[in-house]
Amino acid sequence: MFGNLFEEEEEEGFSSIISRGRVAKGGDEPPPPRGRSNLCGIKNQGGTCYLNSLLQTLLFTPEFREELFNLGPEELGCLEDKEKPGAKVRVIPLELQRLFTRLLLVDQQSATTADLTDSFGWNSSEGTNQHDVQELNRILFSALEHSLVDTTGSTFIHRLYHGTIVNSIVCKECGNVSQRQEDFLDLTMCVSGVSSLEEALWNMFVEEELFEGNNLYRCAQCDRLVTAAKSAKLRKLPPFMTMSLLRFSFDFTKCERYKETKRYSFPLTINLKPFCEKNDEDDCDYSYELFSVIIHKGGCYGGHYHVYIRDIDQLGQWEPPEEDRKPKMQQQQVREEVKEVCEPKLKEDDPLSVLTAVIAQEPSKSVLLDQLGQKLMDKIGSSWSKKFRKHYGPIGKFLQSHNDVFLLVSNGTRVALKANPPSPVTEPPGPPEQTTNSDPPTAPDSGAADKRPELKLEGSHWFDLNDSTVTSIRESDIEKQFQGKESAYMLFYRKTQLHRPSEALNNPQYKVPHHLIQLAQEENIRLRQTREECEATNNTVELRLHLAPCYRPENGALQPISKERNEGTALSFDRRKTVGDLRLAIYQMQELWEGDMALTVAKSLPAGLHLYNTLIDDSVSLYSAGIYTNSDLFVWNGREVCGVSILTGAEWEPVLLNVVRPFMGEDREQKLEEGVECLEGRGGFENGGPGLKKEARGFAGGATLWDVKEALGEPKESLLCQEHKGGRTERQEQGAGEGGGASGWRVFPPDDMQRTLKELSLKDGDALLVLEPHSFDSSAFTLNGDVVTVTTPSDCRWLQVEFRPHGDGEKEEERRKIKVPATGNMLLCEVKQRTVEELQLQEQLSGAQYCLRQVDCTGKLLPPVCEELSVRDAGVRLMTTLTLCPGNAPKASQLFLHFSVGAAPSAGLEMDIIVEKTCTVKECLKAMLDAVRLDGTCWHLRRLDWCEEVGEALMDEDASLSELKINNGETLVVTEGQLPPKGFLKLSVWLYTDPRNNSTVSMQTDFNHTDNGHAEEQMPVEATAGETRGCLPHLCGGNMAELRSVGQVEISDEVSLEDLKIQVLTLPALQDVCVPTTTFMRVWQLEGRRLVRILRGQQQTLRKLKLTSGTELCVQQLLTEEDLGPKEVLLNVKMGVPGKRCYYPPEELVWDASRDSSPRSLRTCLAAHYGLSPDSLRLAKHQPDKHTWEEMSNWNQQVSKRKKKKKAESLLGAPFHLKDGDIIGIKNLLIDNNKDFSTLEDEEGQQRLREQAEQRRKGEQAAGSLKKAETTKSRKPEVALSINVGVFR
């Protein structure tokens, strides 16, 4: 249910309403067009599925839609005038008109309700709160009725939806009838104990309730208690009848809510004649037909809504669901018979033959990878898992092992035959949910129409509108919603007498005002142009060209001659063009090139650049050749480099090995100067003894161990050893703790010397120990069989109460202390009473008021505790000290507040007051003024911020202190002057600094004073963000940095982010800072001592950025310009050290998630950043609060073939919710076998969490059994639903 958290708004116009968050930057992707149903969905803001379902129901209620469109600007006003003073603009119906226009006429997959919810007065958090759709139905209709007062549409809600019930009580003795009439908007139908809607209506309007026995009725005519019968009937039927099903009930035995999931049927058509007061009219006057069913999936504390709707005006394109879409035409049967005669018999036991036949029968000779399994089942009647998996493995591995037959294209999403690779011109488009931005635009297949059954569908059909997704369903699917956790929740019926005019059918513009049609047409033109531009951009690939003259062969790979040319030459090229076009373009770039030119796909490996397949056919497109963004191409003559023949192909991939040799201690300084790493921790000695040295060397994967020994220049009698991984780690770690340990190495047997590195499964990063015979003369090396061992040196239940008869005045030796036995359930008043008795203070305290107060670490008295509460409920910890001193103790309904007049109070000089929690701000201010004997009305209250400075004002004087979340012990400042105007923000500004890095000195100017003269302020912050590119150090997990206060700014919420940065730079503490432009400054928002998000969009207003008064910001200087897009995420990435449980220093990476937010996209981005293959990377997100790593899988979850295909997993949504500053750990599987991402620091953190949980558990057991309400799972507090409406009378 969570929508996109990275969307932002455009500046103005109808386009901002159509595609909120689409800021044109670098060819940002436009919203996709409508799907095959030709209907538009609604985006979910995080928890607004209930709103989306109701809005779609109202849209597909033609009479409601047309009544709304009949209201013109002369009655409703214009949205452009809503900010003008005195203008009466009815915003809610205007925004509803625009939303309906977008849903009807704009060619996009889904529309947003952001502007509509803004007109409701909802803030950003309201979009994530779940509410009941029945409650929304009543509140929305009430808001519309209030908004349309004194207009021609003021009564249309009442005319369409309101009916009348008459309740009657009949006296059984005199026959007197007492009646009471009541109006209804919807009928609430009982579900518990009832099996159908008809039964519930019968119980409500036919069955009578008898008043008899002890429950008699007083008759007004008989003037005594008599037997009577009570009944209800429908007196007036509305055109639209809404039925709300009471699915949620309360179990008084368990004291909890639950959802009724049993079967509850309802008819598609219903006759309400038996339930009406007058039933002498025709049956058609009482007949209703079902046209909308709102469905709830989940439990009583949360879930998801979607809606089944009958398309009355036939606005959508209905087609049979996929499981029913089977060809039944005689013409297709004839084609199949001809096919069986012409084609040879298929070898169904040969998977290679079957898959080849499946792909070959497609017009484009290619199949989407996720559709291959279904097409295989259609071909042979059995799935791959059932028929071939046992003998041939997974289908993906089978395709990869037969790469001479099959070719994976479109970033691995489509498989084709290698002899006939798919052409981007003839490739058929897939369904909307399966196409990706990386695929080129495709022309419609001429034979596509033959594949679909040519059904001429007449009449209205049903659709499932599930937020942004719209799918066709059959009428019989409604019966599936009779029962279960996913079941019908609201039913909407319309009278069968309501007929639609013929001109309304298949006409979405019917009755839509002309000015709204014109706005929609302009937006469609803009969307069409944007899509064309995006299509051209999406087909541009970024290539890296590596020229042969810039490389030399070394260590089994190609090494750059100059480090400056290591990155290659960048080239942007259209992948729809051919290899020949690319070759010609390179010829034009390299005018001095002589001879033949070969283009070979290359890859940067740890050992160097390696070549794979050469592009031979100049007629194929780059897309068909498998060339995609960030591909490396090596430009050479196809034979040799620097006079040396180059071995190409996967079998000759170079391997980077760590060659380890023994060395003597006196050689250490020389080796360090030569750049050779000395492994003191894995084999070094103290006091100048012998140790090991390590050197990275690359070798061709097809080279044998003999070739390796010769390349190293070692004598024939030398031994080559591989690190023995069986028991090394445990011994080494054990030794490390004691200052020493040992590691084991296995000597390669003679037979292995003729085997290649690939055959021996040696990978990048593996260690190879080289020993000469004389090495065993040292005690450090021991040979035992074929194993070489390298040895290295190496009671609490009490409270203390202190009596202070004069507060803080007396000396320490004059104070009297006593330990009082106490438990968590003991009331504080009992603690006070025992203290008085033990210290014998009855006479001394007679007639005086004394209270218990806690003391902080500095000895300062904290606010008095409420003596009506227990020790635990008051937050008092056992084994601590309380002070008994003069003063009143607040009650549970009261607040103890400090206050001062004029300025922030100095320590010990503030005054105290006790007020009720329900007291308003105005009443609290008056009480404080009376306490200090001040008069006048030009005063207002302000809070203190966390750094003890005067903060934001309490703007709402009629709000209670509890509503404003003013806590016990808080300090308020009585400030002279009127309240500041609304819309002005007071923002605290902090500077991100790190004492470990001197590179930030340019931003660390003189902070020994602030603008108000107070001493320097520092706040440690747990930062989740990483370093600015090349400027600030990275901070991960639990590392602490410092934020230095640079002051506060007061600024309007209508200014832009750029204006805010300019004003921040004018603060006195930042006067010496030199920033070329504001794009060299990054602004973070602080929440809970964390850097939580980067403010984006230079021209975005502070109000659109959701900044409120009191928000804390953090500024960070950059060395390069930065302008992050709405879906560009700033991540901290760090590569794991091979073989160790630690990471290299982290780096910043900006990941563009606008086109694709799946794990595959992030993996491809990281692979391009590190120059590695995407398949060799393993990713995980760090959870600093839990000290755990959450691994990101490369494959989507497999689902049953009978279920609908799921969309690709998005890292921006559940369960990862990637955001700015998140830490991503990376494992290079080519050189690192350790798949565990956790470090020793993570284990220590988890151990601390376990110890804290155990302490809490023991504390709960010691305190006794808790109430069940306290042990239940904490849930998000329920918030009342409301819609704010202006006054239009």
Side-chain angles (χ1 to χ4, degrees), residues 918-1199:
T918 57
C919 174
T920 64
V921 174
K922 185 180 296 184
E923 294 169 348
C924 179
L925 175 62
K926 185 177 184 306
M928 292 178 178
L929 293 175
D930 293 342
V932 295
R933 298 180 180 179
L934 286 177
D935 297 326
T937 57
C938 293
W939 299 91
H940 65 276
L941 286 180
R942 286 181 178 265
R943 274 177 159 159
L944 286 187
D945 56 18
W946 72 271
C947 54
E948 300 298 327
E949 291 185 354
V950 180
E952 62 178 352
L954 303 182
M955 304 296 294
D956 191 354
E957 291 187 318
D958 295 325
S960 66
L961 300 182
S962 58
E963 290 175 349
L964 296 178
K965 298 181 180 179
I966 294 179
N967 301 317
N968 199 45
E970 195 166 335
T971 301
L972 301 179
V973 180
V974 180
T975 308
E976 189 172 7
Q978 298 288 345
L979 279 172
K982 294 183 179 180
F984 244 72
L985 308 179
K986 189 171 185 179
L987 308 174
S988 300
V989 184
W990 299 84
L991 175 67
Y992 179 92
T993 62
D994 193 322
R996 299 170 299 176
N997 193 335
N998 295 329
S999 63
T1000 61
V1001 71
S1002 62
M1003 286 290 280
Q1004 296 178 18
T1005 54
D1006 183 14
F1007 293 104
N1008 293 326
H1009 66 276
T1010 56
D1011 53 355
N1012 56 8
H1014 288 286
E1016 171 188 4
E1017 296 182 57
Q1018 296 182 359
M1019 178 179 69
V1021 59
E1022 186 173 354
T1024 59
E1027 61 177 326
T1028 306
R1029 299 178 184 87
C1031 179
L1032 294 177
H1034 280 276
L1035 295 170
C1036 309
N1039 292 346
M1040 302 296 290
E1042 284 185 355
L1043 294 185
R1044 295 179 180 268
S1045 174
V1046 294
Q1048 292 182 329
V1049 294
E1050 290 194 8
I1051 195 168
S1052 170
D1053 61 357
E1054 293 296 335
V1055 303
S1056 65
L1057 177 61
E1058 184 177 12
D1059 297 331
L1060 172 64
K1061 292 181 179 180
I1062 294 174
Q1063 184 159 340
V1064 166
L1065 289 174
T1066 63
L1067 292 173
L1070 297 178
Q1071 285 182 351
D1072 298 331
V1073 175
C1074 180
V1075 179
T1077 64
T1078 56
T1079 55
F1080 284 83
M1081 178 187 291
R1082 179 186 296 163
V1083 181
W1084 291 84
Q1085 183 175 345
L1086 279 174
E1087 285 183 10
R1089 299 177 56 196
R1090 285 183 180 272
L1091 306 174
V1092 293
R1093 72 168 176 129
I1094 299 174
L1095 302 185
R1096 292 166 166 79
Q1098 289 283 88
Q1099 302 306 319
Q1100 288 287 321
T1101 64
L1102 302 188
R1103 179 161 52 161
K1104 298 236 174 140
L1105 291 173
K1106 308 295 184 185
L1107 294 186
T1108 58
S1109 190
T1111 300
E1112 294 181 322
L1113 304 178
C1114 173
V1115 296
Q1116 196 177 5
Q1117 189 183 24
L1118 306 177
L1119 294 182
T1120 59
E1121 291 186 281
E1122 178 181 85
D1123 186 13
L1124 296 179
K1127 290 189 180 180
E1128 288 181 330
V1129 189
L1130 182 73
L1131 300 175
N1132 290 330
V1133 297
K1134 53 183 184 178
M1135 178 71 73
V1137 179
K1140 297 184 180 180
R1141 300 183 63 187
C1142 59
Y1143 294 86
Y1144 291 112
E1147 305 175 62
E1148 258 187 8
L1149 176 74
V1150 175
W1151 172 45
D1152 187 1
S1154 59
R1155 300 179 182 176
D1156 184 7
S1157 59
S1158 67
R1160 181 187 297 273
S1161 171
L1162 178 58
R1163 185 172 279 100
T1164 302
C1165 179
L1166 288 169
H1169 178 72
Y1170 287 103
L1172 299 172
S1173 168
D1175 296 332
S1176 65
L1177 299 183
R1178 195 181 190 96
L1179 310 181
K1181 176 190 173 183
H1182 190 230
Q1183 304 283 2
D1185 295 335
K1186 302 178 181 178
H1187 301 283
T1188 58
W1189 293 82
E1190 192 169 2
E1191 189 169 347
M1192 301 176 183
S1193 173
N1194 189 28
W1195 303 101
N1196 294 332
Q1197 181 181 4
Q1198 294 183 354
V1199 295

Side-chain angles (χ1 to χ4, degrees), residues 380-494:
I380 63 175
S382 179
S383 66
W384 175 275
S385 298
K386 190 173 182 180
K387 192 171 183 67
F388 300 118
R389 184 184 178 93
K390 183 177 180 181
H391 300 288
Y392 299 96
I395 190 171
K397 289 187 176 180
F398 181 82
L399 295 173
Q400 294 175 2
S401 62
H402 291 80
N403 53 11
D404 56 333
V405 179
F406 304 107
L407 177 68
L408 292 176
V409 296
S410 299
N411 288 342
T413 61
R414 184 176 287 274
V415 60
L417 296 178
K418 208 158 190 178
N420 296 293
S423 169
V425 180
T426 61
E427 181 179 341
E433 65 273 13
Q434 294 166 343
T435 57
T436 61
N437 296 331
S438 60
D439 292 338
T442 57
D445 183 15
S446 59
D450 296 336
K451 299 178 188 177
R452 301 181 185 176
E454 299 178 358
L455 300 177
K456 188 174 181 180
L457 305 173
E458 296 181 356
S460 54
H461 293 275
W462 287 83
F463 292 91
D464 178 12
L465 292 96
N466 190 347
D467 288 339
S468 299
T469 307
V470 182
T471 54
S472 303
I473 61 170
R474 293 197 176 276
E475 197 174 73
S476 56
D477 291 336
I478 299 175
E479 297 181 5
K480 300 176 184 178
Q481 309 303 329
F482 285 172
Q483 60 191 355
K485 286 191 174 181
E486 183 177 8
S487 52
Y489 192 64
M490 282 190 77
L491 309 176
F492 294 84
Y493 287 87
R494 71 194 308 269

Side-chain angles (χ1 to χ4, degrees), residues 551-560 566 603-610 612 652-658 696-701 757-758 763-765 1170-1172 1228 1230-1231:
Y551 286 83
R552 68 176 185 273
E554 181 181 341
N555 293 336
L558 294 171
Q559 308 294 341
N566 190 20
K603 184 185 295 184
S604 294
L605 300 176
L609 192 70
H610 182 64
Y612 292 88
W652 293 100
E653 276 188 1
V655 181
L656 186 66
L657 299 179
N658 292 321
R697 289 286 297 272
F699 304 95
L757 301 184
K758 290 288 186 182
K763 302 180 294 298
D764 292 322
Y1170 287 103
L1172 299 172
N1228 185 358
L1230 297 177
I1231 59 176

Side-chain angles (χ1 to χ4, degrees), residues 56 90 155 180 276 278 395 410 420 590 618 770 926 934 986 1243 1246 1274 1276 1279:
Q56 293 283 19
R90 306 171 194 267
T155 61
R180 180 174 57 86
C276 293
K278 297 180 180 179
I395 190 171
S410 299
N420 296 293
Q590 304 295 325
D618 284 356
V770 183
K926 185 177 184 306
L934 286 177
K986 189 171 185 179
E1243 289 187 356
Q1246 293 174 10
S1274 61
K1276 188 175 180 180
V1279 183

Side-chain angles (χ1 to χ4, degrees), residues 605-727:
L605 300 176
L609 192 70
H610 182 64
L611 308 184
Y612 292 88
N613 57 303
T614 300
L615 305 180
I616 301 175
D617 191 353
D618 284 356
S619 62
V620 301
S621 67
L622 298 186
Y623 164 71
S624 300
I627 304 299
Y628 49 89
T629 293
N630 297 326
S631 292
D632 292 279
L633 292 179
F634 192 71
V635 184
W636 59 317
N637 58 15
R639 297 180 300 275
E640 59 186 19
V641 176
C642 296
V644 179
S645 298
I646 303 300
L647 301 174
T648 63
E651 63 273 13
W652 293 100
E653 276 188 1
V655 181
L656 186 66
L657 299 179
N658 292 321
V659 180
V660 184
R661 293 186 178 92
F663 83 108
M664 300 305 295
E666 56 268 16
D667 300 333
R668 171 180 172 82
E669 293 184 2
Q670 178 183 356
K671 295 298 180 182
L672 289 175
E673 292 176 0
E674 296 174 357
V676 180
E677 182 181 354
C678 301
L679 305 181
E680 292 184 353
R682 299 176 58 182
F685 283 86
E686 298 176 357
N687 304 321
L692 298 176
K693 62 182 180 182
K694 181 178 72 172
E695 180 184 7
R697 289 286 297 272
F699 304 95
T704 64
L705 284 179
W706 277 116
D707 299 332
V708 173
K709 185 183 290 189
E710 292 178 1
L712 294 174
E714 298 293 333
K716 293 184 178 180
E717 58 271 15
S718 298
L719 298 179
L720 296 183
C721 311
Q722 185 180 16
E723 194 170 10
H724 185 58
K725 300 179 180 178

